[in-house]
Amino acid sequence: FKKNENHLLNMTSKVKDYINVFIILSFAWIIALGGGYESLSYNGYPILIICMVTSFLVHWIIFIPSFLAKTEKFYDITGTVAYLVTLYIASSLTSYSSGESLEVRTKIIIGMVSFWAIRLGVFLFIRVLRVGEDRRFREAKKSFSKYLVWWTMSGLWVFLTTANALTLIINNKKLDNNFLFYFGVIIWVVGIVFEIVADEQKRKFRLDKSNKGTFICSGLWSISRHPNYFGEIILWIGIALVSLPTLHGFQYITLISPIFIYFLLTRISGVNLLEESADKKWGDSPEYIKYKKITPVLIPFVK
């Protein structure tokens, strides 16, 4: 009886996983349809939808050998590859379908997203090679369906975070001297610098053997408990501001990009998990209790 009960529970769990995959794909499809509203098409298909499909295909292709090898080492770098491939497809198909060269604003956005994706992807790839394991996947990679949800979610992450930028690329409008463009670029620069500096400070902190078993509370980490995530959210807000003047109609749905990043990093796979882990490690430490009391969770200087 117990054997049958366990089998039923496993089947139920798998069904839930595949339902989650379906929900993820449906959500991405809705955003792609809205973002592709009255925009360029290739062979009858909106270019944004082609980019969305490409993001998932890249992840699923790498998912198969990763599941067979029971490894998560290629998870983050696959996201980087998907970012670069979708940017290339969007820019290439836009030039081909419109018969026009890419505008200055379009090229700037391609450069901004490419720089961010390569920098973060290489950083995370080196980190997982050094650490040897990403604990988030310890149980998930044992199950085909659960691991598939993670990789499909990464495909959604890539598409939704770049939906603003991809729509801007596809619209390929001339750069007018508008305030939002310059303000958005400044916000992006602040965000990327915040993220890079925070990551580098934590990397150096961990390399110092005397800091083993302790938490970082210096540098940017003294004004925010998660300054790298703050920078990540800020830079995508900057890109959304740059893209805003190029949008029209249902395309405004792509402004979900920074909102998605915020909720993902604060509610699903970022701040909440790290806070829980930190509480387990140092919850009884007077130093950590004091640090947590005086240091904002995310936004510097804002409790």
Side-chain angles (χ1 to χ4, degrees), residues 76-77 80 116-128:
D76 291 314
I77 201 67
T80 297
W116 168 84
I118 294 172
R119 202 288 307 183
L120 184 61
V122 172
F123 173 81
L124 294 175
F125 184 61
I126 292 174
R127 188 179 69 178
V128 76

Side-chain angles (χ1 to χ4, degrees), residues 30-38 48 167 247-255:
I30 291 172
I31 302 300
L33 282 176
Y37 172 75
E38 292 186 352
L48 189 63
T167 306
L247 305 178
H248 63 273
F250 291 113
Q251 291 183 353
Y252 287 104
I253 197 173
T254 63
L255 292 174

Side-chain angles (χ1 to χ4, degrees), residues 222-274:
S222 67
I223 59 175
S224 169
R225 300 208 295 272
H226 304 279
N228 52 339
Y229 288 155
F230 171 73
E232 176 87 351
I233 294 168
I234 287 298
L235 71 88
W236 287 110
I237 291 176
I239 288 179
L241 290 174
V242 173
S243 75
L244 186 58
T246 72
L247 305 178
H248 63 273
F250 291 113
Q251 291 183 353
Y252 287 104
I253 197 173
T254 63
L255 292 174
I256 195 175
S257 291
I259 299 172
F260 171 75
I261 284 291
Y262 173 79
F263 278 100
L264 194 65
L265 292 181
T266 59
R267 299 289 187 268
I268 300 177
S269 67
V271 171
N272 58 328
L273 296 181
L274 292 175

Side-chain angles (χ1 to χ4, degrees), residues 3-299:
K3 184 177 180 180
N4 290 335
E5 184 180 21
N6 289 336
H7 178 71
L8 181 60
L9 289 174
N10 288 334
M11 288 296 296
T12 302
S13 178
K14 289 180 180 179
V15 170
K16 289 181 179 178
D17 291 336
Y18 290 123
I19 290 175
N20 286 332
V21 169
F22 176 78
I23 292 173
I24 291 171
L25 294 175
S26 299
F27 184 58
W29 185 260
I30 291 172
I31 302 300
L33 282 176
Y37 172 75
E38 292 186 352
S39 66
L40 286 175
S41 298
Y42 177 75
N43 285 342
Y45 298 98
I47 296 175
L48 189 63
I49 289 181
I50 296 174
C51 292
M52 180 268 291
V53 172
T54 299
S55 176
F56 288 112
L57 286 179
V58 169
H59 281 83
W60 290 337
I61 289 170
I62 308 301
F63 159 72
I64 298 299
S66 295
F67 172 72
L68 294 176
K70 298 295 185 290
T71 180
E72 69 279 8
K73 286 183 170 59
F74 304 108
Y75 184 81
D76 291 314
I77 201 67
T78 298
T80 297
V81 172
Y83 278 114
L84 298 178
V85 171
T86 51
L87 285 173
Y88 174 77
I89 287 177
S91 57
S92 297
L93 294 184
T94 295
S95 294
Y96 178 82
S97 299
S98 66
E100 301 175 355
S101 59
L102 298 179
E103 297 292 339
V104 174
R105 173 168 38 198
T106 303
K107 293 178 180 178
I108 290 174
I109 280 291
I110 292 173
M112 289 164 64
V113 177
S114 297
F115 174 81
W116 168 84
I118 294 172
R119 202 288 307 183
L120 184 61
V122 172
F123 173 81
L124 294 175
F125 184 61
I126 292 174
R127 188 179 69 178
V128 76
L129 289 179
R130 187 180 70 248
V131 174
E133 180 190 26
D134 189 329
R135 289 173 295 177
R136 294 176 299 169
F137 303 103
R138 187 170 292 172
E139 293 301 320
K141 61 187 178 184
K142 298 176 183 178
S143 166
F144 181 91
S145 59
K146 287 191 182 338
Y147 210 28
L148 178 62
V149 172
W150 275 93
W151 285 78
T152 304
M153 190 66 192
S154 182
L156 178 68
W157 181 316
V158 169
F159 173 65
L160 285 191
T161 52
T162 55
N164 267 169
L166 293 173
T167 306
L168 180 152
I169 293 168
I170 296 166
N171 287 339
N172 195 32
K173 292 185 178 180
K174 289 184 178 181
L175 174 60
D176 298 320
N177 289 322
N178 62 78
F179 170 77
L180 281 179
F181 171 78
Y182 299 106
F183 183 60
V185 170
I186 291 172
I187 293 296
W188 181 87
V189 170
V190 171
I192 195 71
V193 169
F194 226 88
E195 183 175 68
I196 292 173
V197 172
D199 283 340
E200 183 63 14
Q201 288 176 343
K202 193 168 188 179
R203 186 188 71 84
K204 289 183 176 180
F205 178 84
R206 286 177 169 175
L207 287 176
D208 188 342
K209 294 182 180 180
S210 64
N211 293 325
K212 188 174 182 180
T214 62
F215 59 92
I216 183 172
C217 58
S218 57
L220 293 180
W221 301 83
S222 67
I223 59 175
S224 169
R225 300 208 295 272
H226 304 279
N228 52 339
Y229 288 155
F230 171 73
E232 176 87 351
I233 294 168
I234 287 298
L235 71 88
W236 287 110
I237 291 176
I239 288 179
L241 290 174
V242 173
S243 75
L244 186 58
T246 72
L247 305 178
H248 63 273
F250 291 113
Q251 291 183 353
Y252 287 104
I253 197 173
T254 63
L255 292 174
I256 195 175
S257 291
I259 299 172
F260 171 75
I261 284 291
Y262 173 79
F263 278 100
L264 194 65
L265 292 181
T266 59
R267 299 289 187 268
I268 300 177
S269 67
V271 171
N272 58 328
L273 296 181
L274 292 175
E275 286 288 301
E276 182 180 345
S277 176
D279 288 342
K280 289 180 181 178
K281 289 181 181 178
W282 307 297
D284 297 326
S285 166
E287 292 81 5
Y288 180 71
I289 293 174
K290 180 180 178 182
Y291 171 70
K292 192 172 181 179
K293 184 177 181 180
I294 65 175
T295 310
V297 177
L298 185 67
I299 305 175

